[in-house]
Amino acid sequence: MGTFLIVNAGSSSVKFQVFTSGSSGELVRKIKGQMDGIGTRPRLRASGPDINSTVDREYERDGVPNVPVALQTAGAWLRDELGIHPTAVGHRVVHGGPDFDRPVVIDAQILDKLERYASLAPLHQPHNLAAIRAILARSPHLPQVACFDTAFHRSHSAIADRYAIPERFYAEGVRRYGFHGLSYEYVASRLIDVAPEIASKRVIVAHLGSGASMCALASGRSIESTMGFTALDGLPMGTRPGQLDPGVVLYLIGEKGMSAAAVQDLCYRECGLKALSGISNDVRELETSTDPRAELALEYFCHRVALYSGMLAAALEGADAFVFTAGIAENSAGVRARIVAKLAWLGAVLDPPANAAHAPMISRRDSRLALYVVPTDEELMIARHTLALLSSSGTPSRVVETTR
């Protein structure tokens, strides 16, 4: 039996979950929590199946200034108050570059390779790796597994994988990777149970959250994605622009005199729904606002989802189903209704009562395009990979002290 700590580290929050595995290999979720407000208003919240595994604590601003200290604080709570000592840690790592097409057990050499991709995912990669380094420094013998958001898309064809630029850049790793792969992999696995009639068919999946992308699945495999070299491409997001003419970047640098760092900050933090609305990057706020700019932002977002649906349908040579997943798609019946209305040309017909009730299937019986809502679970996917990799590699499963 093993105990796995699953970590998803960001710039101002560390999400974590704890799973145990039994002798038959089943995974049981024991704890789900996060430390957010790192460096500003730190707060540890977590819940589990019993009262002892529930916590909601606030800390002084300087008490949790960064990701390593956040991990240390959460780890101390798990160890000292719950008696949990992980046998391994699984991490979400956003960018695996061209070298990693599957999960790997991390060592110093692999960690150094992953540092190369920090500039390609600046909102995520540095913080993903900071968490790994923090645990490695304090518990060097504790196995850690990196699970990549890009890995699921490495099945793309050469045509889907490339940009029309000189070959030397492709050889260096400038190619269309795709992201949110752990989410798409989980959804593909769930369709086998929740919708077996379409699991092996042509499926468009829309992962719509603060970060947003779409993926074309054929027989459960990714064949095309809206994201490319970085997590900036494709759909507009909370603070990212999505598809952007490269000429805009050249204009900002050449004509406006902006530095590359300033353009990067603009594209990752000041665009998307935040820029369009001038109000917020949170869809919940936009849906309750009477400001016409909020309506513009929502309509723009849904319009782009519909446009990319056409692209992915072309890649699949048709579409049998459309799946909504992730925060916005799972919780906003209004956004789903807007998008489905724009997919009528694909044969989509919404069942409004089912949509309002957030039912698993939200299409009417006469809809040629089946419509589903499938909640994602990236942490469970990471736990599965961690268990499978350590079991197959023969890595010893042993209890090691977590961070102090």
Side-chain angles (χ1 to χ4, degrees):
M1 182 173 180
T3 300
F4 304 111
L5 173 63
I6 305 304
V7 176
N8 183 353
S11 60
S12 61
S13 69
V14 174
K15 297 178 183 178
F16 63 91
Q17 295 192 23
V18 175
F19 292 83
T20 59
S21 67
S23 56
S24 60
E26 76 279 6
L27 285 163
V28 178
R29 197 187 325 263
K30 306 298 289 185
I31 305 290
K32 181 177 182 179
Q34 68 180 55
M35 173 72 80
D36 54 24
I38 296 171
T40 55
R41 298 181 63 184
R43 184 180 183 185
L44 172 63
R45 289 176 289 175
S47 60
D50 60 73
I51 192 67
N52 291 329
S53 57
T54 299
V55 67
D56 188 343
R57 295 176 187 168
E58 296 184 357
Y59 299 82
E60 294 295 327
R61 175 176 180 173
D62 296 336
V64 186
N66 53 42
V67 167
V69 176
L71 269 176
Q72 176 184 346
T73 304
W77 173 70
L78 289 170
R79 180 191 63 248
D80 299 339
E81 299 188 36
L82 301 186
I84 292 176
H85 300 273
T87 55
V89 184
H91 296 266
R92 177 195 181 202
V93 177
V94 167
H95 213 306
D99 298 321
F100 300 103
D101 62 356
R102 66 198 67 189
V104 295
V105 178
I106 303 165
D107 58 26
Q109 184 178 8
I110 287 174
L111 196 50
D112 287 341
K113 282 187 176 181
L114 295 176
E115 292 280 7
R116 302 174 190 171
Y117 311 124
S119 65
L120 306 185
L123 294 186
H124 304 91
Q125 194 88 349
H127 310 294
N128 300 157
L129 302 186
I132 295 171
R133 289 195 183 280
I135 294 174
L136 184 63
R138 296 177 179 274
S139 302
H141 301 294
L142 180 63
Q144 297 190 75
V145 174
C147 300
F148 304 102
D149 261 337
T150 51
F152 184 64
H153 303 293
R154 303 317 300 138
S155 58
H156 286 181
S157 68
I159 291 175
D161 199 37
R162 291 174 178 263
Y163 291 108
I165 59 177
E167 176 68 21
R168 65 182 182 276
F169 295 113
Y170 179 82
E172 293 172 4
V174 182
R175 57 189 73 179
R176 299 186 69 251
Y177 290 102
F179 296 86
H180 295 128
L182 291 164
S183 177
Y184 295 125
E185 186 177 11
Y186 177 78
V187 169
S189 72
R190 282 294 293 148
L191 287 177
I192 297 171
D193 296 321
V194 301
E197 66 277 8
I198 60 98
S200 62
K201 294 184 178 180
R202 302 165 299 180
V203 181
I204 298 171
V205 184
H207 175 108
L208 308 180
S210 179
S213 69
M214 298 170 69
C215 177
L217 296 179
S219 299
R221 296 174 67 249
S222 172
I223 67 164
E224 186 60 90
S225 171
T226 58
M227 279 185 170
F229 183 52
T230 70
L232 283 173
D233 201 8
L235 300 176
M237 294 164 252
T239 61
R240 287 171 267 173
Q243 183 184 29
L244 191 67
D245 183 341
V248 174
V249 175
L250 297 176
Y251 171 80
L252 294 176
I253 294 173
E255 299 297 325
K256 303 298 290 184
M258 294 178 67
S259 67
V263 173
Q264 175 175 284
D265 189 66
L266 173 75
C267 289
Y268 277 100
R269 293 179 171 86
E270 299 298 330
C271 293
L273 299 179
K274 179 181 178 180
L276 285 168
S277 69
I279 300 169
S280 174
N281 63 330
D282 191 322
V283 164
R284 292 168 294 187
E285 292 186 40
L286 299 181
E287 288 187 311
T288 59
S289 174
T290 58
D291 192 312
R293 296 176 300 169
E295 173 63 22
L296 169 68
L298 289 170
E299 188 61 18
Y300 183 91
F301 179 73
C302 296
H303 173 69
R304 302 304 293 185
V305 171
L307 286 181
Y308 275 105
S309 297
M311 180 192 85
L312 296 178
L316 290 166
E317 299 182 3
D320 301 300
F322 190 102
V323 176
F324 293 93
T325 194
I328 296 170
E330 292 172 23
N331 295 296
S332 175
V335 166
R336 292 196 300 262
R338 287 174 185 253
I339 292 169
V340 173
K342 298 175 185 296
L343 301 181
W345 68 277
L346 279 173
V349 182
L350 186 70
D351 182 335
N355 184 47
H358 303 286
M361 187 172 187
I362 59 172
S363 52
R364 279 193 347 208
R365 292 193 177 191
D366 58 340
S367 180
R368 296 197 312 274
L369 185 72
L371 305 170
Y372 292 89
V373 180
V374 179
T376 192
D377 196 336
E378 293 159 303
E379 288 77 16
L380 178 56
M381 201 70 243
I382 295 169
R384 288 175 179 172
H385 282 309
T386 301
L387 173 61
L389 183 58
L390 295 181
S391 298
S392 64
S393 67
T395 300
S397 179
R398 52 183 174 175
V399 174
V400 181
E401 281 288 309
T402 51
T403 56
R404 286 190 178 274

